[in-house]
């Protein structure tokens, strides 16, 4: 059994109060009390559990460096290491379905909902959001910058047969791209539409090298912007654009009734990310001075639809 018996022995099960205001302070105190009984309390006040939590995460959350900052703060508070598996959202959810991750960060709500419906995930929490951008070469051969919204932009790319690079990896970004193409009056047949089959950073490098268009999240684009020759041509809501380019992230513990996972640690992690300290880290995080994520977890009026599969997945360009 992976870590469950050990975690129960040190009393971590009582500390998981995910998302409650001030919960991480109480959790740290209780973890310390349990760890002290085992003679493992550290000098800096963290629990010193010498345990590891396995996170499967979307690459877009990892590539920005945000998770490194969050995990440093989490480890300093609780003495728990986070093993990060950076994958596309589809692969991350499959990893958790196989019982090989304790918790998932994803950004494709329909896929997250199916993960929950199938019984593999529980206690989903809204974590943060940013937005997607359509980026392309500075000379903009398809005149994408002159279009009205992402669907029209995709139609212009298809009509001109300008090179478009898809991630093609079942990631959250790829799924959003597919949804936009499904609404466009365009056929994806032809050499102009190609799948990179890579993560977001590598796809951006390829697009820059080959003067291609692609869809990217704002955070990853900011990380790579200085090293690539691509311009943001269509922006999402953070840049005054449509909600159809909104990019929302959720964090979901793996269901301990289905898999032998460190559920207590997963809930502690969720509580930290969605509590005051974790949300402050997300709010203050910058890439080249630009804010690239907006925290979503803290609310005086809880949004209960975050916990269960969405009933309306309709998006508009308005």
């Amino acid at each position: 059994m992976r870590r469950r018996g050990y975690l129960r022995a040190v009393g971590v099960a009582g500390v998981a109060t995910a998302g409650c205001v001030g919960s991480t302070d109480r959790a740290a105190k209780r973890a310390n009390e349990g760890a002290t009984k085992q003679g493992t309390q550290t000098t800096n006040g963290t629990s010193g559990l010498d345990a590891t939590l396995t996170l499967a995460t979307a690459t877009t959350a990892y590539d920005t460096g945000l998770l490194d900052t969050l995990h440093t703060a989490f480890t300093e508070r609780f003495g728990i290491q986070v093993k990060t598996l950076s994958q596309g959202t589809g692969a991350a959810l499959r990893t958790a379905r196989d019982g090989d991750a304790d918790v998932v960060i994803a950004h494709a709500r329909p896929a997250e909902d199916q993960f929950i419906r199938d019984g593999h995930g529980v206690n989903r929490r809204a974590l943060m959001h940013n937005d997607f951008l359509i980026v392309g070469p500075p000379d903009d051969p398809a005149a994408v910058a002159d279009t009205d919204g992402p669907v029209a932009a995709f139609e212009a790319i298809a009509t001109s047969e300008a090179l478009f690079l898809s991630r093609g990896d079942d990631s959250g970004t790829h799924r959003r791209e597919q949804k936009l193409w499904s609404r466009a009056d365009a056929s994806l047949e032809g050499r102009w539409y190609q799948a990179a089959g890579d993560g977001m950073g590598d796809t951006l490098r390829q697009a820059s090298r080959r003067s291609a268009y692609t869809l990217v999240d704002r955070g990853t684009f900011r990380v790579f912007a200085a090293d690539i020759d691509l311009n943001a041509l269509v922006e999402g809501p953070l840049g005054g654009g449509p909600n159809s380019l909104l990019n929302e992230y959720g964090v979901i513990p793996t269901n301990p009734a289905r898999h032998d996972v460190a559920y207590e640690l997963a809930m502690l992690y969720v509580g930290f990310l969605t509590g005051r300290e974790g949300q402050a880290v997300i709010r203050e995080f910058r890439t080249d001075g630009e804010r690239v994520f907006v925290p979503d977890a803290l609310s005086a009026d809880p949004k209960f639809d975050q916990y269960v599969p969405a009933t309306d997945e309709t998006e508009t360009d308005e």
Side-chain angles (χ1 to χ4, degrees):
M1 304 296 285
R2 294 176 64 206
R3 293 181 293 274
R4 186 157 43 193
Y6 173 74
L7 294 170
R8 285 174 177 165
V10 297
V12 179
V15 308
T17 52
C20 298
V21 174
S23 65
T24 53
D25 290 327
R26 293 190 293 274
K29 180 179 178 181
R30 293 172 186 171
N32 268 333
E33 290 171 351
T36 299
K37 293 177 183 179
Q38 301 295 318
T40 60
Q41 186 173 15
T42 61
T43 56
N44 66 359
T46 59
S47 60
L49 295 177
D50 190 27
T52 299
L53 172 76
T54 300
L55 165 71
T57 180
T59 61
T60 53
Y62 178 79
D63 288 346
T64 60
L66 171 63
L67 291 182
D68 288 337
T69 303
L70 282 167
H71 293 169
T72 296
F74 179 72
T75 299
E76 288 178 352
R77 172 61 69 89
F78 297 111
I80 298 166
Q81 300 295 321
V82 181
K83 177 183 178 182
T84 304
L85 306 176
S86 178
Q87 307 168 310
T89 283
L93 291 171
R94 286 192 294 273
T95 296
R97 282 177 179 269
D98 292 338
D100 293 327
D102 304 308
V103 62
V104 181
I105 292 177
H107 66 131
R109 186 64 189 268
E112 296 168 43
D113 289 347
Q114 193 60 52
F115 179 71
I116 295 169
R117 286 191 187 98
D118 292 344
H120 295 286
V122 292
N123 297 329
R124 180 194 182 276
R125 290 298 312 276
L127 180 60
M128 60 190 181
H129 74 271
N130 61 11
D131 59 356
F132 292 106
L133 314 171
I134 299 175
V135 301
D139 61 345
D140 189 15
V144 165
D146 298 328
T147 60
D148 183 19
V151 173
F154 275 17
E155 290 174 344
I157 293 169
T159 298
S160 66
E161 295 192 348
L163 182 60
F164 184 95
L165 281 187
S166 168
R167 281 186 59 174
D169 62 351
D170 196 33
S171 61
T173 304
H174 181 217
R175 285 172 177 255
R176 181 59 58 88
E177 176 218 314
Q178 289 179 307
K179 188 166 189 175
L180 293 170
W181 279 120
S182 72
R183 295 168 54 196
D185 183 14
S187 170
L188 302 185
E189 296 181 358
R191 296 188 62 179
W192 65 271
Y193 181 84
Q194 298 181 22
D198 284 322
M200 196 70 257
D202 288 337
T203 300
L204 282 174
R205 293 189 188 98
Q206 284 194 52
S208 177
R209 187 171 63 251
R210 302 176 64 188
S211 296
Y213 294 93
T214 193
L215 184 72
V216 60
D217 67 288
R218 182 179 295 270
T220 308
F221 181 67
R222 290 308 312 160
V223 168
F224 288 90
D227 300 320
I228 57 177
D229 190 22
L230 297 171
N231 290 347
L233 303 171
V234 177
E235 297 195 40
L238 296 188
N243 284 334
S244 58
L245 292 178
L246 181 65
N247 183 28
E248 297 176 290
Y249 291 81
V251 56
I252 314 171
T254 305
N255 187 355
R258 286 289 190 95
H259 305 286
D260 180 23
V261 291
Y263 178 70
E264 296 89 345
L265 285 190
M267 289 299 290
L268 182 62
Y269 179 76
V270 171
F272 177 80
L273 262 59
T274 60
R276 284 182 172 174
E277 186 172 352
Q279 292 287 282
V281 170
I282 294 169
R283 182 173 57 252
E284 295 164 7
F285 183 79
R286 298 290 187 275
T287 298
D288 288 338
E290 181 177 335
R291 181 181 180 182
V292 292
F293 292 103
V294 178
D296 286 335
L298 294 181
S299 174
D301 300 308
K303 300 175 182 178
F304 297 109
D305 59 354
Q306 68 183 300
Y307 303 106
V308 297
T311 56
D312 183 6
E313 297 167 358
T314 302
E315 294 172 346
T316 69
D317 274 335
E318 301 174 357

